[in-house]
Amino acid sequence: MLEAEGAVRGGVVRLGEVVRYRIVQPPESRVRAFVHHLPMRSIHPFLEWSELDELLYFPEAPGAYEVEIDVVTGRGEDAVIERVRAEFLVEQARRSEAPEMVRSGNLRFWAPNHHEASGISDYESDLLDAVDRWVPAGSTVYDVGANLGLYAVPLCRAVGADGMVFCFEPNPLCVAYLRANLELNACSRCRVLPVALAGPHAPHEPALQSVEFTINPANSLLGLSSTSPFFGAKIGQRVQVDGASLDHWVAELRLPAPDVLKIDVEGAEHVVLPGMLATLEAHRPLLLFEIHGPLIARDVLEQLDRLGYSYEDAGSGRHFENASALLERFDDRVRQIICHPSEA
């Protein structure tokens, strides 16, 4: 009923390989699947009831995994559900579930485990380099999607004693690491706002919205919003957090006007951007923006075009005057873009 293909046949998969199972099911049956990253067990199905005959999964972290396939035949009271299980192990050079210290130059960070610690020191290096070039002392910076504080720490050092960094991070597990890393690096000019950013609300709707997150401590993302297109493929437990537009939080909390926004919301860019357009139009901050794929990029960049932004690819340094020019070269990769406001 469940046939493994490729590397998973022997029960061991290298990190980065796709796990593939062929599901041999009876006629007129449907299947659903759960993928568990042990010891965490996902409550929600990875694959809802369907007639698909193949399961593909791309593991993002080492460790033991379990696949559960439910096959239902018949209807109503005559329906019969059978469950089959299979396990596989994603290899890593060193296994550790305990948090570890990352050292990169004069920066230090706590990471969830050895796997995350081994790669975080050079993660997103292009956009991190942009901090030194584009964030002057005395700036007010909004770190949207602060995660563990990988950007918050260098941002805090860049703004100095006269600046301030406001870290927007709703995920409670991320917030715990973020606070620890800010304290570890003596970042006194940072403020953590444990709230989610959402799109604008209609006049008849309340400003606060409930946003669902999935949390997996074994992955550097730790949590992912349901507004991201990658949400359904993430293993983890789900929590509800309060969310509202950035424009709402700026007014509600009376935040100082931003000079720079760093935005990394893992695929939810097209959702949070419309909720900050009033702030962008009023104050025209520089944006350090991570964008996930061409479809999201088109939506995001066309909105920024209307505000008069131009763009710089953080990796190559190439400049683009408008969205069309950049989108011609935008592939399926995650791209880190510096968005420059036009001169007044």
Side-chain angles (χ1 to χ4, degrees):
M1 184 172 294
L2 194 62
E3 296 181 357
E5 298 181 7
V8 77
R9 188 184 302 275
V12 178
V13 180
R14 296 185 182 90
L15 194 63
E17 290 184 332
V18 176
V19 176
R20 183 189 306 268
Y21 285 101
R22 191 166 69 90
I23 306 168
V24 183
Q25 61 192 84
E28 299 182 359
S29 64
R30 293 173 297 141
V31 299
R32 68 177 177 179
F34 296 84
V35 180
H36 311 300
H37 190 179
L38 301 176
M40 175 176 289
R41 298 185 64 81
S42 298
I43 298 173
H44 298 272
F46 176 77
L47 173 68
E48 296 284 357
W49 292 112
S50 68
E51 297 180 356
L52 296 178
D53 60 359
E54 187 175 59
L55 172 67
L56 300 176
Y57 179 67
F58 186 85
E60 295 180 282
Y65 289 77
E66 181 181 62
V67 176
E68 294 182 341
I69 305 290
D70 288 343
V71 181
V72 61
T73 55
R75 300 283 178 177
E77 295 181 355
D78 297 327
V80 176
I81 297 179
E82 181 181 0
R83 172 167 289 186
V84 294
R85 292 183 174 88
E87 295 185 357
F88 62 91
L89 180 68
V90 179
E91 290 183 323
Q92 60 180 336
R94 173 182 167 192
R95 301 192 64 185
S96 171
E97 300 301 327
E100 293 203 14
M101 179 74 74
V102 181
R103 298 182 185 274
S104 179
N106 62 349
L107 301 180
R108 295 178 295 169
F109 300 92
W110 283 108
N113 52 44
H114 176 72
H115 165 62
E116 303 303 338
S118 63
I120 202 171
S121 59
D122 58 358
Y123 179 61
E124 299 181 353
S125 57
D126 292 333
L127 207 55
L128 283 170
D129 290 342
V131 169
D132 292 332
R133 291 190 291 127
W134 294 109
V135 181
S139 298
T140 296
V141 181
Y142 296 173
D143 185 354
V144 176
N147 198 261
L148 307 179
L150 182 63
Y151 283 90
V153 172
L155 285 171
C156 185
R157 294 185 176 184
V159 303
D162 296 324
M164 182 64 71
V165 178
F166 293 92
C167 300
F168 291 84
E169 178 51 60
N171 191 293
L173 188 53
C174 287
V175 167
Y177 278 103
L178 174 60
R179 292 188 188 279
N181 288 330
L182 292 176
E183 182 177 354
L184 179 69
N185 289 279
C187 294
S188 61
R189 303 298 294 171
C190 276
R191 299 290 181 268
V192 177
L193 288 75
V195 295
L197 294 191
H201 64 283
H204 62 281
E205 296 176 345
L208 284 181
Q209 308 170 35
S210 181
V211 180
E212 189 174 30
F213 271 75
T214 183
I215 300 176
N216 184 350
N219 185 284
S220 63
L221 298 179
L222 293 182
L224 197 68
S225 164
S226 59
T227 57
S228 168
F230 312 119
F231 177 78
K234 293 293 181 181
I235 296 175
Q237 305 306 330
R238 299 186 182 182
V239 298
Q240 299 287 333
V241 299
D242 287 335
S245 69
L246 178 68
D247 293 336
H248 167 81
W249 293 122
V250 169
E252 181 74 12
L253 303 176
R254 299 184 180 182
L255 300 180
D259 301 299
V260 179
L261 262 74
K262 167 261 169 183
I263 306 172
D264 183 357
V265 289
E266 300 302 332
E269 301 91 272
H270 61 303
V271 176
V272 303
L273 184 68
M276 61 176 69
L277 292 179
T279 299
L280 299 186
E281 187 170 13
H283 306 296
R284 313 204 49 78
L286 179 85
L287 307 181
L288 306 178
F289 213 148
E290 182 167 286
I291 303 179
H292 292 70
L295 293 179
I296 293 175
R298 183 174 301 279
D299 191 357
V300 166
L301 296 176
E302 287 178 354
Q303 293 182 72
L304 292 178
D305 262 13
R306 291 192 284 272
L307 297 178
Y309 277 87
S310 62
Y311 314 101
E312 175 188 345
D313 181 84
S316 66
R318 181 167 181 173
H319 290 260
F320 303 87
E321 290 301 317
N322 51 50
S324 296
L326 175 55
L327 288 168
E328 288 179 359
R329 296 180 174 272
F330 214 105
D331 53 26
D332 289 335
R333 294 184 297 114
V334 174
R335 298 287 290 272
Q336 295 172 332
I337 307 297
I338 304 167
C339 306
H340 299 273
S342 59
E343 296 182 3

